[in-house]
Amino acid sequence: MKIILFGSPGSGKGTQAAMLAEYLNIKRVSLGDILRGEVEKDSQLGRKVKSYMEGGLLVPDNLVSRVIEENINIPGFILEGYPRNLEQAKRLEGILKKSNADVDFFIYLDIDQQIIINRLGKRRICRSCGANYHLEEESSEKEGICDSCGGELIQRKDDNPEVIKKRWEVFSNESKSILDFYQAKGKLVNIDGRGNKLEIFERVKKILR
Ligand code: AMP
């Protein structure tokens, strides 16, 4: 099964991708997590992408497409954070075509801007495993410590009001063309992204049945 999870920053795509990967026992590929890992390692790629990420801008397509090609597992994947514009969607189609493959579902988690601002402003992530928390609605048992792996919880540098606004703008500009692309291919599924993660996950599972 080849599934793409698409949504604005804070739509919950990372959380749903992790739950779905576990449920289906399929590899999850999160481009944002991979890029953050490269920045943390201060690798050559990390140094190239850092300023784009901190400014809430998309990293150039040629850099991220290579990362995707190296990381996806053609027989099955849950891909999150890629593609994010039409050019990337076409590049992904090209990568999959080489193996005579195509995506099965392009799942769009639909949610409005007000919810996003609240979610992102109070989001904390685990530095080690990437798990997501929310200071009020989904806090960790011990403050600042990840329930799953004991790692340190931090606030992402790009989860500040100014950059959140920029990321939302980038998303709004790019989303229509990509949604149209997958709609035309008959792969688009819209999911209501409101509610808690379990409610949303039930909606996601329903479409897979
Ligand atoms: P995310 O964790 O998905 O919110 O991504 C964090 C940041 O990583 C984005 O704001 C971009 O700077 C960069 N990024 C993630 N995915 C992509 C992509 N598909 N294309 C370009 N940049 C990306």
Side-chain angles (χ1 to χ4, degrees), residues 9 13 30-33 35-36 49 52-54 56-61 64 80-84 88 123 156 158 167:
K13 60 187 186 308
S30 159
L31 184 56
D33 283 357
L35 296 178
R36 269 184 293 282
V49 303
Y52 294 101
M53 294 180 76
E54 287 182 356
L57 300 171
L58 291 187
V59 172
D61 293 339
V64 291
E80 172 240 318
Y82 188 95
R84 255 171 148 117
Q88 293 181 2
R123 173 163 74 176
R156 275 173 50 169
D158 58 355
R167 287 158 68 205

Side-chain angles (χ1 to χ4, degrees), residues 16-28 78 201:
Q16 293 301 317
M19 291 167 81
L20 202 51
E22 195 182 332
Y23 177 70
L24 296 173
N25 196 19
I26 299 181
K27 181 181 179 189
R28 165 190 173 223
I78 312 281
F201 192 50

